[in-house]
Amino acid sequence: MAPDGLECDAFMTTVAGMDNVYAISDMTRDGCYPVTQVSVNLMREHSTMTTQVFTDVTSGIKDPSIFTPPVPPCDKVMLEDTTGTELGSDFLKRVRRSFEQFI
């Protein structure tokens, strides 16, 4: 830790395929831990900005089993067919395919 606080670097990224969505992240130089992230969605009349602040960050994963899907898979999750609707965007289709492997 630097005498006056954390030494950080700021990074600006865009979301693939979405030219109007940006994320600005502050990461520590030592360890590359997240400190803050500001997400900006620039739409004409409905722009949004979301700020995330990370606290109590530690290195490593204390319990890697949290990433193991349950067996049997959760039977309470239901995905509805959103094809042909506003919710049927390519992004949501990819998210849906990701979750279908656990159902």
Side-chain angles (χ1 to χ4, degrees):
M1 180 183 277
D4 297 324
L6 293 175
E7 290 185 8
C8 295
D9 290 313
F11 301 93
M12 181 174 169
T13 57
T14 58
V15 176
M18 301 178 77
D19 295 337
N20 60 340
V21 180
Y22 303 89
I24 302 166
S25 304
D26 291 316
M27 310 292 284
T28 62
R29 285 188 177 174
D30 182 27
C32 201
Y33 297 113
V35 178
T36 61
Q37 178 172 316
V38 176
S39 301
V40 180
N41 185 347
L42 299 174
M43 297 173 58
R44 289 191 179 200
E45 295 180 20
H46 305 284
S47 295
T48 60
M49 180 169 58
T50 305
T51 302
Q52 296 173 310
V53 177
F54 301 91
T55 60
D56 298 326
V57 177
T58 60
S59 64
I61 299 172
K62 292 179 181 171
D63 182 8
S65 70
I66 64 169
F67 298 105
T68 305
V71 177
C74 180
D75 59 357
K76 297 182 187 332
V77 175
M78 295 178 59
L79 297 174
E80 65 181 271
D81 186 8
T82 58
T83 306
T85 67
E86 186 177 338
L87 293 176
S89 72
D90 289 337
F91 171 73
L92 291 177
K93 288 176 187 175
R94 289 192 308 262
V95 170
R96 178 187 172 121
R97 281 195 298 270
S98 297
F99 283 104
E100 284 177 338
Q101 68 182 336
F102 300 111
I103 296 176

